[in-house]
Amino acid sequence: MATVAHCIARFTDQEPIKCIPSSHYLSSRQLIQRFQVCSSSMNGCQSHDPCVPLGTIQTRTLPAVLTPALAMDTLNSTISELMSEPPPFTSGIIRLQVPIQQQIEAIDWLHAQDQLLPRCFFSGRSRKSGFNLYLDSTNGNSYDPVGHDLISVAGVGAAVFFRHFHPFSFDDWRSIKRFLSKKCPLIRAYGAIRFDAEAEISSEWEGFGSFYFIVPQVEFNELEESSMLATTIAWDNGLLWTWESAIDALQATMCQITPFVLKLRRKVPKTFILSNNNVPNKAYWDLAVVLARRSRVLTTSDIDLITWLGCLQIEGDNAYQFCLQPPNSPAFIGNTPEQLFHRKQLSIFSEALAGTRARGGSNAVDLQIEHDLLSSPKDHLEFTIVQDTIRQKLEAVCDSVIVEPKKAIRKLPRIQHLYARLKGVLRSEDDEFDVLSSLHPSPAVCGFPTEEARFLIAETEMFDRGMFAGPVGWFGGGETEFSVGIRSALVEKGLGALIYAGTGIVKGSNSSLEWEELELKTSQFIA
């Protein structure tokens, strides 16, 4: 295997970006991470005709092995064989996957690859005992062709990425779906979409564009009783990315992968907050009563964002955890309880989540708080607006929509919410794009009527939301799932983070109580 430098130029729209140190936290449009870009890649959104199918889409499952190191050996041997026998197609995508006969957590594997970009992590909601049965049928990670539940996915490198600065469009969706197939359900595009693509992009969010998705080059799947290591090769001569380019890029990434995985210590070393600057501050919040807040937190020592994400997993019962980091960009991480939608074939699921209370210190107190939330006129109004809006939007693409339960309580470790589940059957799988574009933004994160509320946010909020409160998730061939990117933060390797949280403002809202709700929502990060 040829020797490959550990820092290779990556091409975005054919322009090379050099790996150089960052000058100051979130301070420059040349915001460059102190990480290694692990390969060059192709932008799938540059296809002249996203309707032209790829020459081949394949998944090849290789014999199971005992350890990640043996899986690496198997993959490297198979990649070498592919080099000598290239496929007879001018475009395609091939996933090579090796089952591992032990369960290893995907976040532990990702932590071992700490210096490689781009990277992603997505975890489905917990399925522990006592878990809400309504959620069991609507968790997209429940399906895996090997016969095990897929718990979480970590990936580095990009076999193909999708990024642009215009709003996410139907053609962009088709460009992504072009690389996916029902026959290869674990070839997925993971990523996020801006809350408001019409708003000006601030420097800290530039690396994400208006949307950013990747099909990882190297991917680790944590299953219910085992694991899987996979590599993906994507090429398209029409996008000036040949089979040879794809193989070379994959080998460059594989040279940097470590097979040695240690258990992540889910405890952040004790650190002190030097400053916590809220935008808006409390005085402006009381005056304007806006929807969201950004807190810039500076700390006395570096934040290890994967360890931080691991700590969020402890808080993450009934919630999704995610991490998305393009090259030359901070990482967007979060622990969100809110599902935007989950499509499996023609079945479509969504959720209404609104109203917030803290958990009680005892069962009796917790039940009293639950009762107060269920009987609150203000929270009922907020919840009704969210539920009715989602139902009406689903009815536009479904023959019928079932709401069950119509109003219940979702309990998280620190917080509890009003909750309802909605289910329908799409008339066509192509309606997926319409579902995504109509359900986002939901009234819970934007307001209602939507366009008037979005305009008001653009006029009154003093920061760029970026991907906060936007769709975060993945597209697959026969299945797609997105959460809402709330309870989230933007983290650069260094001394600090930007933490985002929002509230629902309706008639009867009290600015001081809403501020306390923000404090409650950000407490999982600050703790």
Side-chain angles (χ1 to χ4, degrees), residues 1 10 48 79 129 142 175 188 219 222 237 264 273-274 278 313 325 332 351 366 374 423 471 487 498:
M1 185 179 296
R10 174 184 179 274
H48 296 296
I79 292 167
S129 60
S142 64
S175 293
R188 296 173 173 179
E219 181 180 311
E222 176 189 347
N237 292 357
L264 181 66
I273 295 175
L274 293 172
N278 295 314
Q313 283 190 305
Q325 187 170 16
F332 182 47
E351 295 174 359
D366 199 53
L374 285 168
K423 177 183 178 181
R487 319 288 159 82
L498 299 175

Side-chain angles (χ1 to χ4, degrees), residues 24-27 203-204 273-279 293-299 495-500 526:
H24 183 66
Y25 176 67
L26 301 181
S27 64
S203 60
E204 66 268 24
I273 295 175
L274 293 172
S275 64
N276 186 354
N277 180 35
N278 295 314
V279 178
R293 184 184 77 184
R294 185 190 74 185
S295 302
R296 183 188 294 271
V297 176
L298 296 180
T299 57
L495 307 180
L498 299 175
I499 302 174
Y500 300 84
I526 299 298

Side-chain angles (χ1 to χ4, degrees), residues 397-416:
V397 291
C398 298
D399 291 323
S400 64
V401 175
I402 299 171
V403 183
E404 184 183 358
K406 297 185 184 298
K407 184 179 177 181
I409 292 290
R410 164 79 61 77
K411 290 185 183 290
L412 304 168
R414 293 172 183 262
I415 297 175
Q416 47 192 319

Side-chain angles (χ1 to χ4, degrees), residues 50-62:
C51 291
V52 175
L54 294 182
T56 185
I57 300 178
Q58 302 178 29
T59 294
R60 302 182 187 180
T61 302
L62 305 173

Side-chain angles (χ1 to χ4, degrees), residues 276-286 288-295 297 355-358 378 382 414-415 417 444-445 461 463 465 468-469 486-488 499-505 510-527:
N276 186 354
N277 180 35
N278 295 314
V279 178
N281 59 28
K282 180 64 163 60
Y284 184 86
W285 177 272
D286 288 336
V289 194
V290 292
L291 286 171
R293 184 184 77 184
R294 185 190 74 185
S295 302
V297 176
T356 302
R357 293 288 191 280
K378 178 263 180 186
E382 180 184 338
R414 293 172 183 262
I415 297 175
H417 300 285
V445 296
E461 285 189 351
F463 61 91
R465 288 192 178 190
F468 164 66
I486 56 175
R487 319 288 159 82
S488 52
I499 302 174
Y500 300 84
T503 63
I505 308 299
N510 177 286
S511 63
S512 294
L513 294 178
E514 300 294 340
W515 186 267
E516 291 177 9
E517 183 176 320
L518 293 175
E519 296 288 287
L520 181 62
K521 289 175 176 176
T522 59
S523 63
Q524 61 178 322
F525 286 97
I526 299 298

Side-chain angles (χ1 to χ4, degrees), residues 313-389:
Q313 283 190 305
I314 298 174
E315 302 259 354
D317 287 356
N318 292 7
Y320 301 90
Q321 290 81 47
F322 64 83
C323 172
L324 182 67
Q325 187 170 16
N328 317 309
S329 173
F332 182 47
I333 71 170
N335 180 52
T336 174
E338 188 167 351
Q339 181 186 75
L340 184 65
F341 76 93
H342 169 215
R343 179 190 69 81
K344 189 170 183 179
Q345 311 303 341
L346 289 174
S347 296
I348 190 84
F349 304 89
S350 188
E351 295 174 359
L353 206 68
T356 302
R357 293 288 191 280
R359 296 296 302 273
S362 67
N363 288 337
V365 173
D366 199 53
L367 287 173
Q368 181 58 52
I369 294 172
E370 175 183 327
H371 174 75
D372 291 343
L373 179 55
L374 285 168
S375 58
S376 164
K378 178 263 180 186
D379 291 292
H380 178 75
L381 173 60
E382 180 184 338
F383 176 74
T384 300
I385 292 171
V386 172
Q387 184 193 87
D388 288 351
T389 303

